Amino acid sequence: MAAAVVAGISACGGGGNNNCHNIPQATGLIGQPNFNQGTPNNPSISGLSLGGVQGSVAVLPNPSAPTDTATATVYVADTTNNRILGFTGIPSGINTAAASFVIGQSSMTDQSSGIGPQGSVPIKFANPSKVWIATTPTNTYLAVADSGNNRVLIWNTPPKDSTTGPDIVLGQPNLTTAAANQPNATPSSTGMDHPTAVIISSKGQVVVVDKSNNRVLIWNTVPTTSNVPADLELGQVATDSSGTTTCTANTGTAGYCFTTNVPNIDQFNGITNILAMRQPSDAWTDGSNLLVSDTGNNRVLYWAGVPNNMNKLPDNLLGATQFGSYNPAGGSGSQAFNAPWGVASDGTSVFVGDSGNNRVLEFQSYITTPKNGTAATVVFGQQDFTHITQNDPDQNGAVADQRNDPATSGVNAGTMFSPQGLYVNASYNVLLVSDSANSRVMRFPIIGTSSAGPNTNYGVDGTNTDDGNFCF
């Protein structure tokens, strides 16, 4: 592990001449042969490579050793290769062991999309975006947002082979259809249009981010049959014929519930504020809190609990200081986002994949003390809150390392290019980042802060220890 980490760090300044220790350094890697490469399917599609990872990974603990990261199973939705790979262990260095199983393909070299079943494969994918594992009082589930097939798939037991098909499909009437907004090509409580995330809470609520319908759908319990209509909707400014009453039930009044998909910002109808969304991408819950990345509105929404009524207004938000505000160009700094995608929490802090700014922001203790417009305290992928360029290790605002001879491509153990999915686990002390445009998954320890700055107690050895050796 140490050799892998040092290799990634020394490349930060090119040739080991200048180490960028104040950019947090990854200590583990999936999808690339080293920290300095970021091309898809490198050198070819296999059980070691990734094409492009859009959503977060999921981790299934080893029941015999639940805190052991080396024996946990890591599920990676390899989006552009239309598959899910299962790896043994969260890597503590560069992963050199091929995936132990694949879901959605007949072999580790197949990348064809489909619906399923197909031959010996019971299910195929089309750009799966996110994978999620949840344990409820009665079951442990695996759920997948199969974005290109406009559906969500749920396994009642997480599979570890390519021959076990899903138990439930939502968004489609069966496993052989894939059109958007089934059955009538218009929004409804059953159809979906490019869902990018599904999460299941510890209490059994199912939350689906229905991205192209600009909404979030909620089922109060995990369905036991397919094509069950959602119970609730968040994100659409739905009103009755008088224009003054918000949608309050899934059956609706005069059929207006679940029937719109307009991208918007929150509205005031003369009586109450009505929540609206614009291209939401991701969500996270622990059963007691819910986070949704409202990507097109450049904000993250927070509810203290999973909502149990239609279009419930969030309790707080990140990226803006008030509801109803909209910055289409996005922003940077410690309080603004540019196309935030992934969102996750360790139960205390909130992490946001700020994809347009090529960084991950950490908002420490946000869950315990939420308020609108909170400033981030830690940044990954950049040395501070002002830099936003992708793969910029010398932090001069240009892609690659131009300060040293020879110059490098800029891909290393600290830089990022459109990070999207996030997985966080405090008991493992692990943050896993789906560094999408670099075709890799990066492992970081969870970082603390000091009064000297956002990243100044992050050490060269990947621990929360300040080694005092900074390069800028």
Side-chain angles (χ1 to χ4, degrees):
M1 180 184 73
V5 176
V6 171
I9 294 172
S10 64
C12 182
N17 295 326
N18 201 8
N19 293 337
C20 305
H21 303 160
N22 49 339
I23 299 179
Q25 303 290 295
T27 60
L29 181 70
I30 298 174
Q32 295 292 340
N34 56 59
F35 283 110
N36 305 115
Q37 298 184 51
T39 56
N41 294 325
N42 186 17
S44 62
I45 183 171
S46 70
L48 280 169
S49 63
L50 298 173
V53 188
Q54 190 175 77
S56 63
V57 309
V59 178
L60 178 65
N62 177 357
S64 300
T67 61
D68 182 13
T69 60
T71 57
T73 302
V74 181
Y75 291 78
V76 180
D78 188 7
T79 307
T80 59
N81 284 328
N82 304 298
R83 64 184 184 175
I84 293 170
L85 295 177
F87 296 89
T88 300
I90 301 173
S92 57
I94 296 169
N95 177 61
T96 57
S100 55
F101 60 90
V102 60
I103 305 172
Q105 302 291 357
S106 59
S107 73
M108 296 289 184
T109 58
D110 189 4
Q111 60 185 168
S112 60
S113 63
I115 304 173
Q118 188 178 101
S120 63
V121 179
I123 195 69
K124 295 283 284 184
F125 300 118
N127 297 127
S129 181
K130 184 184 178 84
V131 60
W132 180 271
I133 293 222
T135 298
T136 70
T138 59
N139 222 33
T140 295
Y141 298 94
L142 174 74
V144 177
D146 189 14
S147 302
N149 284 326
N150 302 294
R151 65 187 181 182
V152 161
L153 304 171
I154 299 175
W155 283 257
N156 292 336
T157 301
K160 292 188 178 183
D161 56 55
S162 62
T163 61
T164 304
D167 297 286
I168 302 295
V169 57
L170 300 176
Q172 299 292 336
N174 52 57
L175 292 175
T176 61
T177 59
N181 290 324
Q182 288 276 8
N184 301 315
T186 57
S188 68
S189 59
T190 56
M192 300 176 190
D193 189 355
H194 200 75
T196 50
V198 54
I199 58 177
I200 301 175
S201 78
S202 59
K203 300 175 182 177
Q205 300 115 317
V206 179
V207 180
V208 173
V209 179
D210 192 12
K211 186 179 180 69
S212 292
N213 278 330
N214 302 291
R215 66 183 184 177
V216 168
L217 301 174
I218 298 177
W219 286 256
N220 292 329
T221 58
V222 179
T224 56
T225 59
S226 294
N227 204 36
V228 172
D231 295 301
L232 304 171
E233 177 185 49
L234 305 174
Q236 283 299 302
V237 184
T239 60
D240 64 14
S241 57
S242 69
T244 58
T245 305
T246 61
C247 186
T248 57
N250 65 352
T251 53
T253 302
Y256 66 90
C257 297
F258 293 101
T259 61
T260 62
N261 60 1
V262 179
N264 217 326
I265 191 67
D266 319 320
Q267 305 291 304
F268 183 72
N269 68 356
I271 298 176
T272 185
N273 286 311
I274 307 173
L275 172 67
M277 296 181 187
R278 191 186 308 265
Q279 296 283 293
S281 297
D282 197 16
W284 173 90
T285 188
D286 61 357
S288 299
N289 304 276
L290 175 66
L291 294 159
V292 172
S293 56
D294 187 13
T295 304
N297 284 326
N298 291 304
R299 63 185 185 175
V300 169
L301 308 173
Y302 167 74
W303 288 262
V306 177
N308 56 10
N309 58 283
M310 196 73 73
N311 233 20
K312 176 177 171 57
L313 199 67
D315 295 286
N316 298 96
L317 71 164
L318 291 167
T321 57
Q322 61 184 3
F323 293 98
S325 61
Y326 170 47
N327 180 7
S332 57
S334 63
Q335 294 173 278
F337 304 123
N338 183 5
W341 186 289
V343 62
S345 175
D346 59 5
T348 301
S349 299
V350 171
F351 299 76
V352 178
D354 190 13
S355 64
N357 286 326
N358 304 293
R359 64 185 186 177
V360 172
L361 297 179
E362 179 183 353
F363 298 82
Q364 288 193 315
S365 303
Y366 181 80
I367 296 296
T368 54
T369 55
K371 65 177 181 178
N372 293 347
T374 295
T377 48
V378 175
V379 58
F380 300 78
Q382 308 289 343
Q383 71 161 347
D384 53 37
F385 296 116
T386 61
H387 290 81
I388 60 173
T389 303
Q390 72 269 24
N391 294 334
D392 179 22
D394 57 13
Q395 297 286 272
N396 67 345
V399 178
D401 169 21
Q402 293 86 21
R403 292 192 180 191
N404 294 279
D405 185 17
T408 71
S409 67
V411 181
N412 66 28
T415 61
M416 298 178 184
F417 188 2
S418 189
Q420 294 185 340
L422 303 177
Y423 168 88
V424 186
N425 188 311
S427 63
Y428 291 160
N429 188 28
V430 161
L431 166 66
L432 297 177
V433 178
S434 298
D435 188 18
S436 180
N438 282 328
S439 299
R440 62 185 183 175
V441 174
M442 308 170 75
R443 171 181 175 163
F444 295 88
I446 299 173
I447 298 176
T449 60
S450 76
S451 60
N455 293 344
T456 52
N457 62 346
Y458 192 91
V460 65
D461 59 353
T463 65
N464 297 354
T465 303
D466 183 359
D467 58 27
N469 187 8
F470 305 114
C471 55
F472 308 117

